[in-house]
Amino acid sequence: MHEMSLAEGVLQLVEETARRENARRVKLVVLEIGTLSSVEPDAIRFCFEAVTHGSIAQGAALEIVASQGAGWCMPCAATVPMTEIYGACPQCGSYQVQPTSGTEMRVKEIGIE
Amino acid sequence: MCTVCGCGAGETRIEGDGHEHTHVHADGTVHTHSHTHADEHAHEHAHAEAPLGVHSHTHQHADGSEHSHAHIHDGEHKHEHGGEHSHEHGHTHEHHHHEHAVGGDLDFGAGPARAHVPGLSQSRMVQIEQDILSKNNGYAAANRSWFDEHGVFALNLVSSPGSGKTTLLCKSIELLKDKMTISVVEGDQQTSNDAERIRATGVAALQINTGKGCHLDGHMVGHALQRMQPADDSLFLIENVGNLVCPAAFDLGEHHKVAILSVTEGEDKPLKYPDMFRAADVMLLNKCDLLPYLEFDADLAEANARRVNPDLTIFRVSATSGEGMSAWLSWVEAGLAAQVAGRSESVDALKRRVAELERQLEQTQAGK
């Protein structure tokens, strides 16, 4: 359930930016959520709607860009796709895989007017 | 990320805490004050109409004086309005004096800039590219540098509920308290039972209740630090809310997360909750005195933990029998010693720097 805190974190970044830009309204929020991050996109969607209620971002569309998981497999000495964090390498089955992408949780950009 | 964990909006309570506000007044002055609230009243605002969360209040104080000021809720200290929420102010709010924009009207002059700039209102995209946890990480970094400046060794203890965290903590404190100063922060949804158990050992403890929240965050711990003022060169222990999921994501500024797994749980817990075992540097396998009575495979549990985190340091302990505690406690003592040495080194380095600057100053003055 820490998606609620994360949604609050998103709203803070959005509000700060909106205020700095003298925005009247936030129409769109774009997040980048990696498939290996500890965030459930559906949960954050639900929480985002709840926390933005009554804020400048009320009713804003939420777009979630999913970045695909990848890791560096040491035995293979190669970048391999990963579907599960700390999971096995799909090529050699080793667990010596260091996640290199897909763990992102970022606010990318917002659309304002 | 304020103390407002969304799952427990505005419900965090630090023992004995008043209530702190930051107001930004219309003339731009900012002041922070804390209230201890005598009377209770519920107070509900609809903020939807007020651009950027600006709203005005008229307060009537006990002495009869009245003043009106505008707040800007800047997101640092946010109130959760609109829900069922009671502010307990010792003064009355005159609600009919509120100057909210009505009926969804847009009031451009009410924004912090008090002006509307034509041409800036067109729809456009603004890049942010910031980590969602950046706020929390900022608070955590501030805590960490405070710890380092004061030679304080900070540990964040995480586990599922019932793994024996508090018992382990009490036992560790009893064995260490003659060698070092210790202070403890206890995180739980409700009750101050754990802080009372810790205080019974004779060390300082502060309870943080997270309400509906599922974890401690960097901001809460920052407040706890202010409140407790841990001694220089001391040990600072944070017992997080019993939860193997959320606390993994929230840095508190600690030097190490210590995950506690008890042998009455499953060997596969590190695989089921990999984030936590990955985030931890140390794992304590607790309740090892029960191993003869259980089918728990301790070697398998260790192997599973190392699969998600090959660098994990593991100690097998029993807080009840005291078995294995000495290795864990030596690790704590070594960590504190390194922190203390690091601080005195930086103090020495600063002293040398001051001496060098003084020498240069004397030379410059002599040269004149």
Side-chain angles (χ1 to χ4, degrees):
Chain A
M1 262 313 281
H2 62 296
E3 274 81 0
M4 206 63 172
S5 313
L6 296 177
E8 290 268 358
V10 170
L11 180 61
Q12 274 184 7
L13 291 172
V14 168
E15 281 181 332
E16 273 169 23
T17 309
R19 192 173 304 138
R20 197 179 60 229
E21 301 287 332
N22 283 319
R24 282 159 50 200
R25 198 160 82 85
V26 177
K27 292 166 70 182
L28 171 69
V29 175
V30 184
L31 304 183
E32 181 181 11
I33 305 286
T35 51
L36 302 182
S37 74
S38 56
V39 182
E40 215 34 72
D42 282 345
I44 207 158
R45 221 172 257 290
F46 174 81
C47 297
F48 179 79
E49 207 184 309
V51 300
T52 53
H53 186 80
S55 79
I56 191 169
Q58 179 166 1
L62 182 67
E63 189 182 318
I64 298 180
V65 180
S67 58
Q68 293 306 310
W72 177 257
C73 173
M74 284 178 223
C76 297
T79 298
V80 295
M82 286 178 82
T83 52
E84 195 177 68
I85 195 153
Y86 320 126
C89 167
Q91 290 177 17
C92 72
S94 159
Y95 287 97
Q96 279 181 282
V97 189
Q98 196 69 35
T100 51
S101 75
T103 56
E104 301 80 1
M105 296 193 284
R106 296 165 70 78
V107 183
K108 281 183 78 69
E109 54 183 354
I110 60 174
I112 55 174
E113 63 172 27
Chain B
M1 201 118 347
C2 181
T3 48
V4 186
C5 164
C7 14
E11 296 211 359
T12 305
R13 265 182 215 94
I14 295 179
E15 270 183 311
D17 213 351
H19 172 90
E20 207 173 75
H21 278 295
T22 300
H23 297 265
V24 181
H25 287 266
D27 62 2
T29 56
V30 180
H31 79 268
T32 306
H33 61 173
S34 54
H35 307 256
T36 332
H37 306 289
D39 303 307
E40 285 196 19
H41 80 275
H43 149 104
E44 228 175 83
H45 298 272
H47 278 223
E49 319 83 75
L52 302 177
V54 179
H55 71 270
S56 306
H57 274 299
T58 301
H59 293 249
Q60 195 171 48
H61 289 265
D63 59 5
S65 66
E66 209 175 272
H67 75 273
S68 171
H69 60 183
H71 299 256
I72 295 165
H73 288 261
D74 62 6
E76 289 286 325
H77 281 270
K78 176 144 26 97
H79 300 265
E80 281 300 317
H81 294 282
E84 302 231 339
H85 165 90
S86 61
H87 268 300
E88 298 150 14
H89 291 268
H91 52 237
T92 350
H93 289 243
E94 290 284 315
H95 285 270
H96 45 274
H97 284 266
H98 277 210
E99 292 156 23
H100 290 282
V102 274
D105 287 351
L106 288 165
D107 179 2
F108 296 114
R114 299 269 171 267
H116 172 62
V117 183
L120 268 182
S121 59
Q122 294 152 355
S123 184
R124 64 207 154 97
M125 298 300 288
V126 182
Q127 299 282 320
I128 298 184
E129 295 292 350
Q130 256 187 295
D131 197 288
I132 296 175
L133 285 169
S134 56
K135 277 268 173 207
N136 181 69
N137 293 344
Y139 288 122
N143 294 346
R144 186 167 289 119
S145 63
W146 190 92
F147 289 136
D148 291 344
E149 278 163 28
H150 292 82
V152 173
F153 186 48
L155 298 176
N156 177 4
L157 285 85
V158 289
S159 80
S160 359
S163 65
K165 267 198 307 298
T166 312
T167 307
L168 189 87
L169 213 52
C170 289
K171 187 80 176 184
S172 303
I173 290 166
E174 272 165 25
L175 296 168
L176 286 173
K177 68 179 180 188
D178 295 333
K179 300 180 187 169
M180 56 184 72
T181 310
I182 305 173
S183 34
V184 181
V185 166
E186 283 288 336
D188 278 301
Q189 280 201 303
Q190 293 191 2
T191 80
S192 55
N193 295 355
D194 281 0
E196 280 154 23
R197 278 174 72 185
I198 300 293
R199 282 185 204 119
T201 66
V203 305
L206 181 74
Q207 182 79 47
I208 299 179
N209 286 138
T210 56
K212 294 193 187 71
C214 47
H215 57 265
L216 295 177
D217 63 35
H219 187 251
M220 296 177 195
V221 171
H223 272 302
L225 279 180
Q226 274 180 355
R227 176 68 60 81
M228 294 190 86
Q229 296 289 336
D232 285 359
D233 305 336
S234 69
L235 177 64
F236 191 73
L237 299 169
I238 305 161
E239 185 182 334
N240 217 314
V241 178
N243 175 350
L244 274 180
V245 184
C246 313
F250 291 83
D251 187 3
L252 307 179
E254 76 278 355
H255 296 101
H256 302 282
K257 280 193 180 70
V258 177
I260 296 153
L261 178 67
S262 63
V263 300
T264 49
E265 302 168 56
E267 296 100 338
D268 56 353
K269 235 176 194 171
L271 303 181
K272 288 173 166 173
Y273 301 97
D275 284 318
M276 186 59 88
F277 290 88
R278 184 72 169 205
D281 296 315
V282 174
M283 181 176 103
L284 299 177
L285 193 60
N286 193 22
K287 308 189 188 176
C288 277
D289 55 309
L290 296 178
L291 278 175
Y293 315 104
L294 302 168
E295 282 177 16
F296 186 89
D297 184 343
D299 293 334
L300 177 61
E302 287 195 8
N304 285 339
R306 288 220 163 86
R307 195 168 106 189
V308 294
N309 185 356
D311 296 329
L312 202 59
T313 303
I314 301 177
F315 299 105
R316 293 189 189 184
V317 299
S318 164
T320 315
S321 71
E323 176 189 340
M325 289 292 283
S326 59
W328 148 243
L329 297 176
S330 309
W331 181 89
V332 174
E333 285 181 72
L336 177 58
Q339 249 330 80
V340 172
R343 180 174 89 99
S344 57
E345 237 171 62
S346 56
V347 169
D348 288 346
L350 281 172
K351 279 182 183 159
R352 279 198 298 277
R353 179 90 182 119
V354 168
E356 169 65 15
L357 288 170
E358 277 173 353
R359 196 184 58 78
Q360 284 181 9
L361 184 66
E362 269 170 34
Q363 276 183 350
T364 318
Q365 284 172 340
K368 269 186 185 168

